[in-house]
Amino acid sequence: MTKKKVAIIGAGPSGMAQLRAFESAERNGREIPEIVCFEKQADWGGQWNYTWRTGLDEHGEPVHSSMYRNLWSNGPKEALEFADYSFDEHFGRPISSYPPRPVLWDYIVGRLQHTDVRKYVRFETVVRFITFDETSQLFTVASEHLPSGETSLETFDHVVVASGHFSYPHMPDAPGIETFTGFVAHAHDFRGAEAFEGQDVLVVGSSYSAEDIGSQAHKMGARSVTASYRSKPMGYDWPEGFEERPAITQIDGSRVYFADGTAKDVDAIVFCTGYQHKYPFLPDELALSGPNTVYPAGLYRGVVWQSNPALFYVGAQDQWFTFNMFDAQAWYVRDLIMGVAPIPDAAERERFIEEWTALFEAIPDVTGEIVFQGEYVRDLLQQTDYPDLDIDKVVQIFISWKHDKQEDIMGYRDRRYRSVMTGTLAAQHHTPWLDERDDSIERYLAGHVDSQTGEITLPDARTLLRS
Amino acid sequence: MTKKKVAIIGAGPSGMAQLRAFESAERNGREIPEIVCFEKQADWGGQWNYTWRTGLDEHGEPVHSSMYRNLWSNGPKEALEFADYSFDEHFGRPISSYPPRPVLWDYIVGRLQHTDVRKYVRFETVVRFITFDETSQLFTVASEHLPSGETSLETFDHVVVASGHFSYPHMPDAPGIETFTGFVAHAHDFRGAEAFEGQDVLVVGSSYSAEDIGSQAHKMGARSVTASYRSKPMGYDWPEGFEERPAITQIDGSRVYFADGTAKDVDAIVFCTGYQHKYPFLPDELALSGPNTVYPAGLYRGVVWQSNPALFYVGAQDQWFTFNMFDAQAWYVRDLIMGVAPIPDAAERERFIEEWTALFEAIPDVTGEIVFQGEYVRDLLQQTDYPDLDIDKVVQIFISWKHDKQEDIMGYRDRRYRSVMTGTLAAQHHTPWLDERDDSIERYLAGHVDSQTGEITLPDARTLLRS
């Protein structure tokens, strides 16, 4: 019998979780399918693979990563820790709860560094179009190797879509925006707030991007930060010079008018207006669409494409749980593909979807969403051999985290949590978030603070790494 | 016998020329094929359809247009006038030789406004992937209607690629660019230089984009403009505060180091480093690749894809001649499709390509390139019923234009040429290019200058249009 062939689209956290899931099965003596992982970028890590580029990349492809300089995790790392690879195992000592991007990138890449799964990844290779043939029950994947321009057409038994949904900006129009001559970009193309020093900055939106990019602007010395919300303000205890206003009604040159009748002259506008589910390589009958939500329609157990259960999505949800949820999904998808977990018939899947959708729709608030996603992950974990993960403790961390933010939006990243996996208490970072302008892993790991004087010593960083 | 089906990819100047060519045949009583023109944008005009958006558009597709505010034609309009639709016919009176973008957009759109060809265009519809079936000799075009997400798969006898090649930036890396915290973008994402007032601006490149974006920065009050060239400087008589330096060797924060050992602190960097031939919807065996050149490889008579002569490219050349060359190509492609012009066999086509390639490669200088492209257009015109066009006169205009630029790079757009089609001498525009900051068609057409006082009167523009 020939091996099944599986195409994984994307080698970001979700695609890497899928690779890890197969690798884990192989390590346990199981024979795994033939795998091809298509990755547009030259390296793996998805969003966490920072680039200075914006818009289109060196090959003319849409830039994938929306990350910027000085981005630190906006949730405690203890809520996203892998159950099969702890922060302690990777770093060899406690680190703080809110590491900057390069540190998290190092962690997720580190888990796969000592495996051979990189051999499955075709880098700088973009999937152009996928079709499904009813007769053969096979997918044909048309891909292009970007450096050479070579096209390949290959068939697969399964496709795992792990390309993410925070890469294609939702960029609304705004009346008069064509008259604005300052800096204007979507959060996706924002790369750092240093140039906002002394400027009046407007962020449009009231979710994580607006919160953090506004905070970055404040941190980097913007003269003022205004956040414009559509439905309701974020409502944090913002520092001096940071305020919220309702929706934009008109832009006229540098002047922006708001729904409360006020106006403000600004130098820069960053649209933090979210992202689209966009899968340009999928025909409509296979493509997830709709809003960013914790329970997207059309997916059995959040991963199986209901109308064609040979197709899977990993990481398609809006996310409280992240890396560990991707793991739970990837382990389950692996077991479905390998025939270890049973796949119910369409009617049973539909019944299950309806049951969970009803639960989801009854959720009254954000805390309920977190609890719901915890239950969702727990259900997946029960289907597979992924190491045990104390969902309740993670949910508690999320709830404390939300409380921390309410208390001190500019200081919550200086707080510390205890690992659910190892019990290790996070280290106190040497520099408060508000004062730290160097997000390199070298500085992060090498810094020491004298507990008497508070002085920071930075020995040669490279020699310390992993020492 | 069923009608042939023709897919035209793109409704910019080239695709519109193709539509006009078919429309012209139909007007002359010939039966034309079934046509579907796929256009990603919501309106036609291609590059000339300005958008404030950069990077990805409202549907998450790469933004097509590279145009910016206050872009005026950088060549005399007399060199690009349609032979079948004069500026006089469109505007009803003489206009200046270097109109701003909205005026040229109005002109190219105006030619089709009184025809019914818009019915052939599927707007907001992107072509995803095209395959060719050797057995049926048909192309299958997979397209997506962006607002609905609906996918269509349709077969065509012919495909005309008219999607242009000034949309996908060639964006090189630069050592240390990730440390630069100012504004950085490719020319493709540049939308206007107003924000450069008082700033030190660097443009990278030495072709049209660098020349014009550097000039825009100067015009809008940049403190300094530096243009960095790789092989040789543009060498114009630049105004005070505008200088050329060799290649960038290193960027360190705001400081840029050049190959001559000098350094300069800059606030903004615009990469004017050209564009890629990129056809993500074509498999490699159908996709043109390589550098931007007046005579691209693999195209018989510059339009027929040698290895599959059912596929055509319009406007794939680097361009001196533009709109009128697209017409000559489109008329010829139309006649090939309709069987009016004969298509030679592969060997004869190859012989022809080699002959012209040899001619092209022997060209010693830029003037030679212009003359060559004139001969290329003349050859096409001889194959079709496109109205007569005095190629020699157009070539003369190009040569004078290059001379004008050498004489006065900040003033050449104030000069006037005589129409090759109608003999009309261009009007003197009411405001010199360097002083004009309003590029609207209303101001352009409505303005009058008192010849005694130099005072500009601007009557209500809308009422004057076409009056």
Side-chain angles (χ1 to χ4, degrees):
Chain A
M1 188 183 141
T2 54
K3 274 190 178 183
K4 269 190 176 181
K5 280 190 72 182
V6 178
I8 302 170
I9 319 294
S14 296
M16 292 168 87
Q18 194 62 66
L19 291 170
R20 173 69 163 186
F22 282 115
E23 185 263 342
S24 163
E26 195 173 41
R27 233 186 310 122
N28 292 329
R30 287 153 64 188
E31 201 192 345
I32 64 168
E34 199 180 324
I35 297 168
V36 179
C37 178
F38 297 92
E39 171 54 50
K40 194 169 74 172
Q41 302 186 78
D43 201 354
W44 55 14
Q47 287 284 351
W48 299 87
N49 181 24
Y50 171 82
T51 174
W52 60 271
R53 294 175 182 275
T54 57
L56 303 176
D57 71 13
E58 64 272 38
H59 300 297
E61 296 296 317
V63 165
H64 181 78
S65 179
S66 304
M67 298 243 173
Y68 38 86
R69 292 183 297 276
N70 298 297
L71 179 139
W72 292 26
S73 176
N74 66 350
K77 75 178 197 305
E78 289 75 15
L80 53 76
E81 191 166 16
F82 298 125
D84 76 338
Y85 189 72
S86 69
F87 281 98
D88 285 359
E89 182 177 348
H90 183 72
F91 290 103
R93 61 178 168 91
I95 63 167
S96 72
S97 278
Y98 293 86
R101 181 204 58 78
V103 176
L104 281 177
W105 184 80
D106 200 67
Y107 171 61
I108 59 173
V109 165
R111 180 167 71 151
L112 299 188
Q113 242 157 10
H114 303 294
T115 72
D116 63 351
V117 298
R118 204 174 161 99
K119 71 183 179 197
Y120 299 126
V121 187
R122 291 198 203 148
F123 290 102
E124 294 184 291
T125 302
V126 64
V127 173
R128 289 284 177 228
F129 205 65
I130 298 181
T131 52
F132 181 73
D133 184 76
E134 288 291 344
T135 312
S136 67
Q137 292 286 303
L138 293 174
F139 297 93
T140 298
V141 175
S143 66
E144 180 183 338
H145 179 243
L146 293 165
S148 66
E150 251 173 65
T151 309
S152 300
L153 288 167
E154 294 153 284
T155 56
F156 293 91
D157 300 277
H158 292 285
V159 171
V160 180
V161 180
S163 52
H165 55 107
F166 297 115
S167 279
Y168 288 95
H170 170 66
M171 184 74 157
D173 212 333
I177 189 159
E178 70 283 358
T179 68
F180 184 74
T181 56
F183 174 84
V184 57
H186 188 275
H188 175 61
D189 282 340
F190 168 82
R191 289 292 175 269
E194 299 91 337
F196 293 160
E197 190 181 342
Q199 296 196 340
D200 297 298
V201 176
L202 173 65
V203 294
V204 183
S206 52
S207 190
Y208 295 105
S209 295
E211 172 192 315
D212 197 54
I213 292 174
S215 298
Q216 295 281 343
H218 173 76
K219 174 173 167 173
M220 296 299 172
R223 183 163 53 195
S224 73
V225 178
T226 307
S228 160
Y229 58 87
R230 201 170 41 183
S231 40
K232 62 181 170 87
M234 295 179 269
Y236 292 110
D237 184 17
W238 297 115
E240 177 87 28
F242 195 132
E243 56 162 1
E244 299 197 59
R245 296 200 191 181
I248 296 171
T249 52
Q250 185 71 36
I251 298 173
D252 185 10
S254 61
R255 178 153 295 190
V256 181
Y257 295 86
F258 301 95
D260 59 2
T262 63
K264 189 166 175 65
D265 287 314
V266 300
D267 300 292
I269 306 177
V270 182
F271 280 84
C272 305
T273 40
Y275 293 89
Q276 307 180 35
H277 273 290
K278 188 171 172 88
Y279 308 94
F281 49 85
L282 289 176
D284 48 6
E285 70 271 17
L286 299 178
L288 185 63
S289 64
N292 182 25
T293 162
V294 165
Y295 210 75
L299 289 175
Y300 168 69
R301 273 198 159 103
V303 290
V304 181
W305 188 239
Q306 168 65 343
S307 64
N308 184 336
L311 181 85
F312 306 96
Y313 282 83
V314 174
Q317 291 68 19
D318 194 10
Q319 295 151 16
W320 304 97
F321 288 72
T322 54
F323 299 160
N324 39 26
M325 178 173 73
F326 307 153
D327 274 8
Q329 295 178 323
W331 257 251
Y332 177 58
V333 166
R334 175 202 69 188
D335 285 355
L336 291 176
I337 290 174
M338 294 176 66
V340 174
I343 183 144
D345 65 23
E348 169 58 17
R349 295 198 305 267
E350 192 58 39
R351 196 200 56 72
F352 192 95
I353 290 174
E354 280 168 19
E355 186 184 313
W356 280 75
T357 302
L359 282 172
F360 174 60
E361 285 172 355
I363 294 172
D365 57 14
V366 162
T367 306
E369 275 202 3
I370 297 171
V371 172
F372 175 86
Q373 193 156 69
E375 292 312 306
Y376 165 72
V377 175
R378 194 196 309 271
D379 170 67
L380 286 175
L381 291 178
Q382 283 162 359
Q383 319 302 316
T384 76
D385 67 355
Y386 189 70
D388 200 38
L389 172 63
D390 190 331
I391 297 291
D392 295 335
K393 278 194 183 163
V394 178
V395 167
Q396 275 310 317
I397 289 177
F398 279 122
I399 290 168
S400 299
W401 158 70
K402 293 201 76 67
H403 179 76
D404 292 347
K405 287 175 68 176
Q406 286 300 332
E407 258 191 0
D408 186 2
I409 189 67
M410 293 291 148
Y412 76 91
R413 284 187 174 97
D414 304 323
R415 308 234 168 147
R416 300 190 286 162
Y417 283 87
R418 194 173 287 283
S419 168
V420 175
M421 309 303 160
T422 59
T424 302
L425 180 65
Q428 188 72 51
H429 190 48
H430 51 65
T431 310
W433 173 81
L434 199 56
D435 301 328
E436 178 63 273
R437 289 178 175 225
D438 178 349
D439 67 358
S440 69
I441 188 169
E442 290 79 1
R443 174 166 165 100
Y444 180 81
L445 289 182
H448 296 282
V449 182
D450 185 300
S451 60
Q452 300 294 317
T453 65
E455 197 175 291
I456 296 166
T457 318
L458 295 173
D460 183 60
R462 298 270 169 202
T463 63
L464 275 189
L465 276 176
R466 310 281 160 73
S467 66
Chain B
M1 187 184 142
T2 54
K3 275 189 178 185
K4 270 189 177 182
K5 279 189 74 182
V6 178
I8 302 171
I9 319 293
S14 296
M16 292 167 88
Q18 195 61 66
L19 290 171
R20 173 68 163 187
F22 281 115
E23 185 263 342
S24 162
E26 195 174 40
R27 233 187 308 123
N28 293 328
R30 287 153 65 190
E31 202 191 345
I32 64 169
E34 199 180 322
I35 298 166
V36 179
C37 178
F38 297 92
E39 171 53 52
K40 194 170 73 171
Q41 302 186 77
D43 202 354
W44 54 16
Q47 287 284 351
W48 299 88
N49 181 23
Y50 171 82
T51 174
W52 61 271
R53 295 175 182 275
T54 57
L56 302 176
D57 71 13
E58 64 272 37
H59 300 297
E61 296 296 317
V63 165
H64 181 79
S65 179
S66 304
M67 299 243 172
Y68 38 86
R69 292 183 297 275
N70 297 297
L71 178 140
W72 293 25
S73 176
N74 66 350
K77 77 179 196 301
E78 289 75 13
L80 54 76
E81 191 166 15
F82 298 124
D84 76 338
Y85 188 73
S86 68
F87 281 98
D88 285 0
E89 182 177 347
H90 184 71
F91 290 103
R93 60 179 168 91
I95 63 168
S96 72
S97 279
Y98 294 86
R101 182 205 57 79
V103 176
L104 281 177
W105 184 80
D106 199 68
Y107 171 61
I108 59 174
V109 165
R111 180 166 71 151
L112 299 188
Q113 241 158 11
H114 302 294
T115 73
D116 63 351
V117 298
R118 204 174 162 99
K119 71 183 178 198
Y120 299 125
V121 187
R122 290 199 204 148
F123 290 102
E124 295 184 290
T125 303
V126 64
V127 173
R128 289 285 176 225
F129 205 64
I130 297 181
T131 51
F132 181 73
D133 184 76
E134 288 292 343
T135 313
S136 66
Q137 293 286 302
L138 292 174
F139 297 94
T140 298
V141 175
S143 66
E144 180 183 337
H145 178 242
L146 293 164
S148 66
E150 250 173 65
T151 309
S152 299
L153 288 167
E154 294 154 284
T155 55
F156 292 90
D157 300 276
H158 293 284
V159 171
V160 181
V161 180
S163 52
H165 55 108
F166 297 115
S167 279
Y168 289 94
H170 170 66
M171 185 73 158
D173 213 333
I177 188 159
E178 69 283 359
T179 68
F180 184 74
T181 56
F183 175 83
V184 57
H186 188 274
H188 175 61
D189 282 340
F190 168 82
R191 289 292 175 268
E194 299 91 338
F196 294 159
E197 189 180 342
Q199 296 196 340
D200 297 298
V201 176
L202 173 64
V203 293
V204 183
S206 52
S207 189
Y208 295 106
S209 294
E211 173 192 313
D212 197 54
I213 292 173
S215 298
Q216 294 281 344
H218 173 76
K219 173 173 166 171
M220 295 299 172
R223 183 163 54 194
S224 73
V225 178
T226 307
S228 161
Y229 57 89
R230 203 170 40 183
S231 40
K232 63 180 169 88
M234 294 179 271
Y236 292 110
D237 183 17
W238 297 114
E240 177 88 27
F242 195 132
E243 56 162 0
E244 299 196 60
R245 296 200 190 180
I248 295 171
T249 52
Q250 185 71 38
I251 299 172
D252 185 11
S254 62
R255 178 153 295 191
V256 181
Y257 296 87
F258 302 95
D260 60 2
T262 63
K264 189 165 175 65
D265 287 314
V266 300
D267 300 292
I269 306 177
V270 182
F271 280 83
C272 305
T273 40
Y275 292 88
Q276 307 181 34
H277 273 290
K278 188 172 172 86
Y279 308 95
F281 49 85
L282 289 177
D284 49 6
E285 70 271 17
L286 300 177
L288 185 64
S289 63
N292 182 25
T293 162
V294 165
Y295 211 75
L299 289 175
Y300 167 69
R301 273 198 160 106
V303 290
V304 181
W305 188 240
Q306 168 64 343
S307 65
N308 184 336
L311 182 84
F312 307 94
Y313 281 83
V314 174
Q317 292 68 20
D318 195 10
Q319 295 152 14
W320 304 98
F321 288 72
T322 54
F323 299 159
N324 40 26
M325 178 173 73
F326 307 153
D327 273 7
Q329 296 179 322
W331 256 251
Y332 177 58
V333 167
R334 175 201 68 189
D335 285 355
L336 291 175
I337 290 173
M338 293 177 65
V340 176
I343 184 144
D345 66 22
E348 169 58 17
R349 296 197 306 267
E350 192 58 38
R351 196 200 57 70
F352 192 94
I353 290 173
E354 280 168 17
E355 187 185 312
W356 279 75
T357 302
L359 282 171
F360 174 60
E361 284 171 355
I363 294 171
D365 56 15
V366 162
T367 306
E369 276 202 2
I370 296 171
V371 172
F372 175 87
Q373 193 156 70
E375 292 312 306
Y376 165 72
V377 175
R378 195 197 309 272
D379 170 67
L380 285 176
L381 291 178
Q382 282 163 0
Q383 319 302 318
T384 76
D385 67 354
Y386 190 70
D388 201 35
L389 173 63
D390 190 332
I391 297 292
D392 295 335
K393 279 194 183 163
V394 178
V395 167
Q396 276 309 319
I397 289 177
F398 279 122
I399 290 168
S400 299
W401 159 70
K402 293 200 75 67
H403 179 77
D404 292 347
K405 286 174 68 176
Q406 287 301 332
E407 259 192 358
D408 185 3
I409 189 66
M410 293 291 149
Y412 76 91
R413 284 188 174 96
D414 304 323
R415 308 236 168 144
R416 300 191 286 162
Y417 284 88
R418 194 173 287 284
S419 168
V420 174
M421 309 303 160
T422 59
T424 302
L425 179 65
Q428 189 71 52
H429 190 48
H430 50 68
T431 309
W433 173 81
L434 199 56
D435 302 328
E436 179 63 273
R437 290 179 173 223
D438 178 349
D439 67 0
S440 69
I441 189 169
E442 290 79 3
R443 174 167 165 99
Y444 180 82
L445 288 182
H448 296 281
V449 181
D450 184 302
S451 59
Q452 299 295 317
T453 64
E455 196 175 295
I456 296 167
T457 317
L458 296 172
D460 183 62
R462 298 271 168 202
T463 63
L464 274 189
L465 276 174
R466 311 281 160 72
S467 67

